[in-house]
Amino acid sequence: MLLADLSDGTEEVIGDRGYDSNRIRLSLAERNITACIPPKKNRKSKPPYNWHLYKKRHLIENMFARLKDWRRAATRYDRCAHTFMSAIHIAASFIFYLKE
């Protein structure tokens, strides 16, 4: 996703260390968007970030990883978008049910 594609209502962007650059941070700051990007290990001046918000990103990544275990969703067998979303909903419901 490009930074230019972000909607006007975007308040925060969560990214991994690969997006830690002054250019990206400046571009987000110009649009009044808070960047939640941890600094790279070799960065001399380490800008602050919300660690708790960044931790939530990990939960989202884990959910996508679990969805990819469902072959139908990972390979996108369904041609129609509504059928594909139905498969995603069923898989997510089943994953949630197994977690409880």
Side-chain angles (χ1 to χ4, degrees):
M1 175 182 214
L2 300 173
L3 293 177
D5 294 340
L6 294 174
S7 66
D8 294 333
T10 305
E11 296 177 5
E12 293 178 320
V13 171
I14 305 173
D16 61 357
R17 286 190 166 100
Y19 294 99
D20 180 33
S21 72
N22 291 334
R23 179 185 288 175
I24 291 175
R25 289 182 185 274
L26 182 64
S27 173
L28 291 173
E30 287 173 353
R31 296 176 61 185
N32 293 327
I33 298 174
T34 305
C36 182
I37 304 170
K40 290 184 180 178
K41 300 283 185 184
N42 61 352
R43 196 184 240 284
K44 291 182 180 165
S45 65
K46 299 190 181 207
Y49 72 101
N50 187 346
W51 184 82
H52 297 289
L53 182 63
Y54 185 76
K55 191 173 179 180
K56 290 181 182 178
R57 176 183 177 271
H58 179 69
L59 296 174
I60 301 298
E61 285 186 3
N62 287 348
M63 183 62 189
F64 279 110
R66 288 192 184 119
L67 281 174
K68 288 180 181 179
D69 289 341
W70 289 68
R71 186 174 179 195
R72 181 184 188 111
T75 56
R76 193 160 180 169
Y77 282 147
D78 305 309
R79 293 183 185 185
C80 300
H82 66 278
T83 310
F84 176 68
M85 280 306 294
S86 298
I88 294 292
H89 287 216
I90 290 169
S93 300
F94 194 78
I95 291 168
F96 179 77
Y97 177 74
L98 288 178
K99 187 177 179 184
E100 292 295 314

